[in-house]
Amino acid sequence: MKIAVINGPNLNLLGKREPEIYGRMTLRDLEKMLIEAAEGKGIEIKFFQSNSEGEIVGFIHGAIEWADGIIINPGAYSHYSVAILDALKAFPGKIVEVHISNVFSREDFRQRLVTARAADAVIAGMGFDSYVFALFYLFGALS
Ligand code: DQA
């Protein structure tokens, strides 16, 4: 089973960025957590982070060819990127959109999740565990 884990803008700053909201763990720590969670399950994970909408769209296009599932945290693009939504709609596998914070308890503009319309499931507010639960969901859904 092949899973693409995609992180959008500013998530490369995890650990330094607003730690009271996003915690002190880094993107590398998150990747390690997911590799550990995938161990022994026959899951292969490819990680991708970009601050650019076009690069994320391009990576999703590539994933159409090889990935069974996508875990995506589009960051701020979640709230307005129709381009990422359309790319996700072209992906034939399962998609989980994740958020580290509970976007529904934050500013009004974070409560509209444009890209989530393409997702099979959405997980928000569990910190880095949002990604781990997304991985377990995909493992079950795709096995
Ligand atoms: C986020 C929430 C978004 O509103 C924000 O722009 C992010 C991170 C989250 O993981 O909680 O960059 O997607």
Side-chain angles (χ1 to χ4, degrees), residues 31-103:
E31 292 176 0
K32 278 192 216 146
M33 248 175 100
L34 287 172
I35 288 166
E36 263 173 41
E39 227 172 71
K41 294 190 172 63
I43 303 174
E44 193 186 310
I45 307 177
K46 249 189 219 173
F47 295 100
F48 180 75
Q49 189 278 327
S50 175
N51 296 315
S52 141
E53 185 180 38
E55 282 181 10
I56 295 169
V57 167
F59 186 82
I60 294 167
H61 291 175
I64 292 170
E65 304 304 320
W66 62 266
D68 303 301
I70 288 178
I71 297 171
I72 184 165
N73 182 346
Y77 286 137
S78 318
H79 310 302
Y80 65 94
S81 177
V82 177
I84 292 176
L85 168 66
D86 287 346
L88 289 171
K89 278 187 169 168
F91 181 74
K94 292 265 177 208
I95 299 169
V96 187
E97 176 164 321
V98 296
H99 295 282
I100 296 167
S101 63
N102 178 1
V103 284

Side-chain angles (χ1 to χ4, degrees), residues 91-126:
F91 181 74
K94 292 265 177 208
I95 299 169
V96 187
E97 176 164 321
V98 296
H99 295 282
I100 296 167
S101 63
N102 178 1
V103 284
F104 301 106
S105 67
R106 299 181 64 192
E107 302 96 321
D108 286 353
F109 64 84
R110 294 189 202 275
Q111 313 213 353
R112 185 158 166 257
L113 295 177
V114 168
T115 49
R117 282 176 177 245
D120 296 285
V122 180
I123 304 175
M126 293 190 190

